[in-house]
Amino acid sequence: MIKKGQLRFTVIATLLVTLLAGCAGNGGSNSNQAAGNSTVNSGTNAANSSGGETDTATGKEPVTLTFFDKNIGDPFTNTVAKKITEMTGVSLEMQQPTGNPSEKLNLMLASNDLPDLLSIGRGDILDKYIAAGALLPLNDLIDQYGPNIKKMYGDMLNKTRSEDGKNYYLANWYGLEQYPVFGFLMRMNVLKELGAGEKATNGQPFTAEEFVGLLKAYKEKYPTVDGKPAIPMTFNGENTGAITWTFKGMYGMMPYYEVDGQLKSDVRDPRYIEMIKFMNSLYTQGFIDPEWATNKTQQYEQKLASGTIFATADAFWNPGKPNQILKDTAKDPAKKDEAQFYPYKVIAPGVDPSKTTFGPKSSLGWDGIAISKNSKNAVRAIQLLDYLASEEGQYLMMWGVEGVHWDMKDGKHVPRQEVLDGFKKDWAKYSKESGIRQWVWAVKNGPGSDGTPYDLIGRYQSDPVSDLAIKNLADSAFDTAIYDNLGPAGGTPEAIMQQKVNETTAKYFPRMVMAPSEQEAVSLYEKMIKELDEAGLPKLEKIYTDNYTKRKELWK
């Protein structure tokens, strides 16, 4: 699902959800001259074994490389950028990803107008670049100039190989992190009012029966709130991935339904129809907002902030704006934190709480950082990436400059208060000005050798909602990497088939949830399966299985 970025920004998080989380796993597929001095440009420029031409300079002579990052085109001139240049000798000319970055990437590929470095989201476009021979294989370059890459990435380099056994990119935001994503979000103060205070903070899950009881109790106790109709539960109609992954999580479902080594669509999982029946029962009992399917993000946030909603199903960070409003308008300022939506685990009947799957996360990360075939400075490019991949480089990108943004105290990285305050006041502005967490390449999830997280702003300073999310749901995180991008290649007839399958599933999902009875929900499910089969799902499932088998063999 979801490039990992500033958790405070819902869109990016949803891409977490969409994205993070947020994918069922059934779709998708898997000036170049240096501006340095004469020493840099006087290399032999002989074609190397990686298939491109590079200079032979290995020092810190000044050189400028062009870089297209689909997420950022700001000038490489702030404090962190200058420090990176000081440490590597490399200045970056960032190319502006104006308009649709995907269209820009396709245009660059078609015209062969490629920069030295590219950051491309994993999936169709990255696969297209590799298939077209537009990217240099990195194996020999890493062997010669990438000791930090080898150390930090480890077995990840084995997992990001293409079928020819070569590495064409370095994963970004890589490594599995035991960090929660989705959950059933409930207002803590209401939980306590409804008599569930003992489970409000103790980390214990709710059974499905207990959850239904809470929704029923809320509906009975609060027909209205401040004169407005109260609704036990609503959803974001623009983020169905968050809804489905939350409910699938309580049943322990995976991105695919695996039977004897064969991958089937998750809708064929017997637990899927049980999930639909459960959701439908909530709807027919009047616990789910009848307008949920048409809720836009703004409407959804307004409803959550109104104080009339008790629960939702979402990535735990998505209600950030509503939570702030709920805190600001809390009747008891001393208990304002309790007014927020907190994430909880709800388990389906017969499901082991430790087998729930609320946290789909790919250890392969979100993007691929690659060197184009047109680069005349591949050695300097890989040396730059090797530095950024190092622990020193990670802390520089994510924490800033030592003595300016942070200090080493008692063997640990300690951020300066003005940095934390700067991000709290205006995340985007402070990041842009300082460079902290703006240049995010070859980023590794998790802590450094001193135990402090590489991701200062995302992980160092927590908040009550995140703390409880970790307590309640961190054990439900699981690695989706083996299932990532197993669908048909883009531009193929099967890709069109996949699109039809996705559209059909999306069409039926709200209809099944809002069916007038369980019998009608089951009938709609059967109709959906018939249409999916007619649309070519069996053929697609063979593609999933073939790609899955190849990947398992490649990763041995």
Side-chain angles (χ1 to χ4, degrees):
M1 257 269 3
I2 346 8
K3 175 183 188 301
K4 178 179 177 182
Q6 302 171 359
L7 297 186
R8 288 176 55 188
F9 289 97
T10 301
V11 172
I12 297 178
T14 301
L15 285 178
L16 182 262
V17 170
T18 315
L19 107 323
L20 263 170
C23 47
N26 292 342
S29 66
N30 215 9
S31 86
N32 294 317
Q33 279 304 115
N37 60 24
S38 59
T39 304
V40 174
N41 293 323
S42 63
T44 61
N45 283 335
N48 65 16
S49 59
S50 299
E53 293 186 350
T54 70
D55 63 37
T56 58
T58 58
K60 296 182 180 178
E61 299 87 350
V63 63
T64 297
L65 303 180
T66 50
F67 197 145
F68 179 85
D69 183 329
K70 66 185 182 66
N71 300 297
I72 189 169
D74 293 343
F76 196 69
T77 55
N78 53 35
T79 305
V80 169
K82 290 177 181 177
K83 188 64 175 180
I84 291 173
T85 298
E86 177 189 331
M87 300 304 296
T88 64
V90 177
S91 297
L92 294 175
E93 179 186 316
M94 301 301 299
Q95 297 186 350
Q96 186 66 243
T98 54
N100 186 321
S102 296
E103 292 178 1
K104 176 69 173 177
L105 283 163
N106 283 322
L107 180 61
M108 288 193 300
L109 180 61
S111 64
N112 196 36
D113 182 18
L114 304 174
D116 292 291
L117 290 152
L118 303 101
S119 173
I120 308 173
R122 291 193 311 107
D124 283 349
I125 298 180
L126 182 56
D127 291 344
K128 190 183 299 185
Y129 265 73
I130 294 172
L135 307 178
L136 284 183
L138 304 179
N139 305 59
D140 291 343
L141 288 168
I142 292 172
D143 284 341
Q144 296 178 64
Y145 307 106
N148 292 306
I149 292 173
K150 286 185 176 182
K151 178 181 178 181
M152 295 289 275
Y153 278 83
D155 187 53
M156 192 60 56
L157 294 174
N158 182 52
K159 293 183 177 181
T160 54
R161 289 179 299 159
S162 292
E163 290 185 19
D164 61 5
K166 296 178 180 179
N167 289 96
Y168 291 94
Y169 67 91
L170 295 178
N172 195 23
W173 294 104
Y174 67 97
L176 184 62
E177 184 182 25
Q178 287 298 117
Y179 198 75
V181 182
F182 303 111
F184 287 89
L185 314 186
M186 294 180 266
R187 286 161 54 205
M188 184 182 290
N189 55 0
V190 178
L191 266 180
K192 292 184 175 182
E193 289 175 16
L194 298 178
E198 76 284 355
K199 283 193 173 183
T201 59
N202 68 3
Q204 293 182 4
F206 290 90
T207 66
E209 184 179 6
E210 287 174 328
F211 180 61
V212 172
L214 288 168
L215 296 175
K216 182 179 180 181
Y218 181 78
K219 183 177 175 63
E220 293 174 349
K221 185 172 183 176
Y222 293 103
T224 62
V225 173
D226 294 332
K228 303 172 187 176
I231 302 171
M233 194 172 200
T234 192
F235 308 128
N236 184 351
E238 290 189 307
N239 190 4
T240 55
I243 306 168
T244 56
W245 260 118
T246 300
F247 280 91
K248 287 195 297 183
M250 70 180 285
Y251 285 86
M253 293 179 64
M254 298 294 282
Y256 292 92
Y257 176 47
E258 186 170 353
V259 184
D260 298 327
Q262 304 292 306
L263 290 191
K264 305 293 183 181
S265 168
D266 61 350
V267 300
R268 296 196 196 275
D269 190 325
R271 292 171 292 187
Y272 184 89
I273 186 59
E274 293 305 312
M275 177 193 82
I276 290 296
K277 290 178 181 179
F278 178 66
M279 295 186 72
N280 177 254
S281 72
L282 298 182
Y283 183 80
T284 56
Q285 292 178 78
F287 299 152
I288 295 179
D289 178 6
E291 299 176 345
W292 74 266
T294 57
N295 280 341
K296 302 298 182 183
T297 300
Q298 185 176 7
Q299 294 172 300
Y300 167 70
E301 292 179 342
Q302 288 172 345
K303 287 183 177 182
L304 295 188
S306 70
T308 62
I309 307 295
F310 166 54
T312 186
D314 207 339
F316 76 86
W317 55 79
N318 274 346
K321 292 179 181 178
N323 274 348
Q324 187 60 53
I325 294 173
L326 289 170
K327 286 200 300 181
D328 293 342
T329 57
K331 294 180 180 179
D332 184 354
K335 296 182 178 180
K336 63 180 181 179
D337 281 336
E338 293 186 2
Q340 300 179 95
F341 285 90
Y342 285 81
Y344 296 92
K345 181 185 292 188
V346 176
I347 52 173
V351 175
D352 183 338
S354 67
K355 302 297 182 183
T356 52
T357 51
F358 290 98
K361 298 174 73 68
S362 176
S363 61
L364 299 185
W366 304 92
D367 314 313
I369 312 297
I371 302 174
S372 84
K373 66 174 183 178
N374 289 359
S375 177
K376 299 297 189 296
N377 295 282
V379 169
R380 299 302 298 280
I382 199 67
Q383 288 175 326
L384 170 68
L385 295 178
D386 186 66
Y387 174 75
L388 297 178
S390 71
E391 181 153 296
E392 180 180 325
Q394 297 288 290
Y395 279 110
L396 174 55
M397 288 187 294
M398 306 301 285
W399 284 60
V401 179
E402 182 177 9
V404 177
H405 302 112
W406 60 272
D407 301 287
M408 188 66 77
K409 296 180 181 179
D410 299 324
K412 286 186 175 289
H413 291 73
V414 178
R416 293 192 173 183
Q417 188 59 45
E418 57 263 32
V419 172
L420 301 177
D421 292 342
F423 273 97
K424 185 176 181 179
K425 181 178 180 181
D426 192 326
W427 178 305
K429 181 180 179 182
Y430 190 77
S431 178
K432 186 173 183 176
E433 291 175 352
S434 65
I436 300 172
R437 216 178 189 269
Q438 185 183 35
W439 320 110
V440 285
W441 304 311
V443 172
K444 185 175 185 177
N445 288 316
S449 59
D450 68 352
T452 55
Y454 291 130
D455 186 0
L456 168 64
I457 303 306
R459 298 290 182 266
Y460 184 83
Q461 260 198 342
S462 193
D463 59 87
V465 173
S466 298
D467 289 341
L468 193 60
I470 292 170
K471 188 175 184 178
N472 288 342
L473 292 156
D475 66 343
S476 71
F478 69 100
D479 194 357
T480 66
I482 193 70
Y483 303 111
D484 290 355
N485 302 317
L486 293 180
T492 62
E494 290 77 16
I496 298 174
M497 195 178 294
Q498 180 68 69
Q499 182 178 352
K500 176 63 175 176
V501 163
N502 293 346
E503 291 172 351
T504 300
T505 305
K507 176 182 70 175
Y508 273 95
F509 176 69
R511 296 181 184 180
M512 293 185 292
V513 171
M514 297 189 290
S517 67
E518 180 179 298
Q519 181 179 0
E520 180 64 20
V522 172
S523 177
L524 286 168
Y525 171 78
E526 292 170 348
K527 290 179 181 179
M528 178 185 74
I529 293 296
K530 182 179 179 181
E531 284 191 28
L532 291 174
D533 285 341
E534 291 172 350
L537 182 56
K539 186 173 183 178
L540 292 172
E541 289 171 329
K542 185 178 185 308
I543 293 174
Y544 307 153
T545 299
D546 289 346
N547 288 337
Y548 180 56
T549 302
K550 291 176 183 176
R551 182 168 296 172
K552 288 193 294 183
E553 186 66 27
L554 184 66
W555 285 9
K556 283 184 178 180

